[in-house]
Structure formats: structure tokens, C-alpha cells
Amino acid sequence: MTAPALVLLAHGHSDPQIAEITHAMRNELMARCPELVVRAAYLGGSGPSPVQVASKLARLGTEEIVFVPLEVGCAYRASAVVCAAIARVESACPDLRVQLSRPIGPEPILLTMLDRTLRQALSDHHVTELDGLVLSTSGTQDVRSRALLARRTRQWGMHHKLACVTAYVDETGPSVEEAIQTLWNQGRRHVAVGSWFLSTSDLWAHQAEAALSAGAVVVSRPMTAGPEVAELAMHRYVVGAMDLIDFGSLVPQVEAGDDLDLSPELHAIGA
């Protein structure tokens, strides 16, 4: 049985770094599983769309695809933009079996990556004093995802023994300006913003500009896609691939009244 293809699904942007990050992730995954077909698709911006990637794979004989959204703000369900893109794939490629996995999500391991990028930003800007942190993310309507993001914010703040507030680029919660103002109201004047993003998307650029205008001493670059993210993507893929299996077709159908003789197996187990 041929394994389903894995398609990394990223938010597009004119910045070539997004393609570089996704390409690096693809190489990492192919190095782990050389027999696995791995591709990348983009929502908007430059690069092939999900429909283009799926159509090409179908022409090459692929029958099943698992799309893995590279979204770190959504924990349980991909964003509406991603879901709409997958619906277009299903409409354009009706013979393909398509599965959308859970997004990468706000996993604890990403806090290590967030620290790494923020330390680099502090070093680059020669910042030596901090008394507040903001974890800035794209935002989500999902209540459970928001609760998990809030937990990561608390964990990050407790780790550094600093006040920490979550900020959202969309309107689902406090903006990065409001989060910084909250800390300023507490008398904190040296506030750094950690970017809970994987790439330099439009959303990241918007929050970075807004944070600096609001008085942040530094804004970290996106976390990018290191080995930790590749590991999470592979896990999401495996679970999604399992969802494509039709277990009903693998179980022998037993007619009513059939007498199954299990004695040989039972005897072998007891032997």
C-alpha cells in the first residue's frame, strides 16, 4: 500500500523566506522518510496553490493526500481560509482522497523556539533590560485554541518570571498595542514582543510594525521551521493518514449464523 502524499500548507507572501522555510521543512521530512512524497502549497502570494499541487500529484498517480497546515495559533481545527482551500481541492480533484490534519498548533516545544528567536533579537538590538513580555499570534475564533495559547503565555511568563500578555493580530482578543499598553499601565517600560509565527507573513509584518510603534523595545523574528516543527508535522501527517484508512474494508464480513472456529488460534496462544 502506497503511503498518502504529505502536502505542507503555508500562508503565502511575496517574501521569499516563506518558500525557503517550507522548502527546508520539506527536505527535513524527506530525509526522515525518503519514500514519502512531500510537497508544499501556499495560500495566496507566490508559489503553487493547494489545487495546483493536488492536481499535479493526481496526474502522477497519487490517490491520497494529507494536507498539514503550518498554523501555530490554531490547536484543533485549521483556520477558515485553510478549510475553504481544501474544499476547493476536493471539488477540483474528486477522484483524490483528501484529509486535512490538525494544524501544528501551540505545542509546548515551540516555546523553546520562541525563546531562541527572542534572544537573538535582544542581542541584535543590544537590549539588556526587560520587565514585560507579549506573546503575539495570529488569533483564532476557537475557544479551546485560545485557552491553550493563554496557557502557553502563562508558561512563558512564569519561566522568565516576567509579566506576560497574549496579543492577537485579528479582532479575537487584545491587539499588540493593547497588550503593550496593559503592561505600561503596570509601570513596565521595557516590553519585548515574541512572535508566535512560523514565517514573515503579512500578519507577522503587521504586528511587528504595530508593536514597535506602540513602544516595544524589540520584536522577535518568526520562529521559522526547525526540526521541532518538522517532527510535529510528521506526527500530524501520521494521524491524518490513519484517518484515511477504511477499516471496514479490512475486516472480513461475517454473515449471521456463521460459526467461526477460533480453536487453532486459541490453542496456539495457550501453547
Side-chain angles (χ1 to χ4, degrees):
M1 181 183 296
T2 304
L6 189 168
V7 178
L8 301 168
L9 193 51
H11 288 269
H13 188 267
S14 56
D15 190 333
Q17 187 194 39
I18 288 184
E20 293 172 6
I21 290 170
T22 312
H23 184 68
M25 266 196 72
R26 182 188 173 203
N27 288 341
E28 174 82 18
L29 291 167
M30 289 191 299
R32 292 168 180 247
C33 299
E35 72 283 359
L36 185 62
V37 176
V38 184
R39 297 290 185 270
Y42 301 88
L43 299 167
S46 58
S49 70
V51 169
Q52 290 172 327
V53 171
S55 299
K56 184 174 182 179
L57 286 172
R59 289 195 298 270
L60 294 174
T62 298
E63 297 179 351
E64 299 176 324
I65 297 177
V66 177
F67 283 91
V68 179
L70 301 182
E71 296 182 316
V72 293
C74 304
Y76 303 99
R77 179 178 171 82
S79 66
V81 174
V82 168
C83 293
I86 298 305
R88 290 193 292 271
V89 170
E90 293 172 332
S91 177
C93 308
D95 294 331
L96 271 177
R97 298 187 68 211
V98 176
Q99 180 68 35
L100 178 61
S101 80
R102 278 180 55 189
I104 297 300
E107 294 293 329
I109 188 64
L110 297 183
L111 288 174
T112 301
M113 298 176 63
L114 185 65
D115 266 351
R116 210 154 53 212
T117 56
L118 184 57
R119 280 198 301 270
Q120 185 62 54
L122 293 171
S123 174
D124 290 344
H125 292 83
H126 309 291
V127 176
T128 58
E129 184 177 355
L130 282 183
D131 55 13
L133 293 170
V134 172
L135 186 151
S136 180
T137 185
S138 57
T140 172
Q141 296 286 348
D142 182 62
V143 175
R144 294 181 301 169
S145 296
R146 288 167 56 80
L148 201 50
L149 282 165
R151 183 186 303 175
R152 298 291 171 258
T153 300
R154 290 194 299 272
Q155 290 173 328
W156 195 37
M158 290 173 62
H159 176 72
H160 292 290
K161 298 180 174 59
L162 291 172
C164 190
V165 181
T166 313
Y168 299 90
V169 173
D170 60 17
E171 298 178 354
T172 57
S175 66
V176 69
E177 298 100 324
E178 291 169 337
I180 292 172
Q181 187 60 52
T182 295
L183 293 170
W184 274 55
N185 291 343
Q186 299 173 8
R188 304 174 190 278
R189 293 294 182 267
H190 306 280
V191 178
V193 175
S195 301
W196 195 259
F197 295 85
L198 285 182
S199 61
T200 52
S201 63
D202 288 329
L203 292 177
W204 173 81
H206 172 77
Q207 66 89 40
E209 181 180 353
L212 292 173
S213 297
V217 295
V218 73
V219 179
S220 74
R221 297 282 293 177
M223 295 179 285
T224 73
E228 300 95 335
V229 181
E231 183 72 28
L232 290 170
M234 180 59 72
H235 181 267
R236 300 291 186 263
Y237 163 79
V238 170
V239 175
M242 289 292 291
D243 288 339
L244 282 171
I245 297 175
D246 181 6
F247 288 99
S249 65
L250 302 179
V251 179
Q253 298 299 309
V254 180
E255 298 294 336
D258 283 354
D259 185 12
L260 296 181
D261 182 8
L262 300 179
S263 56
E265 287 78 3
L266 293 173
H267 178 73
I269 292 173

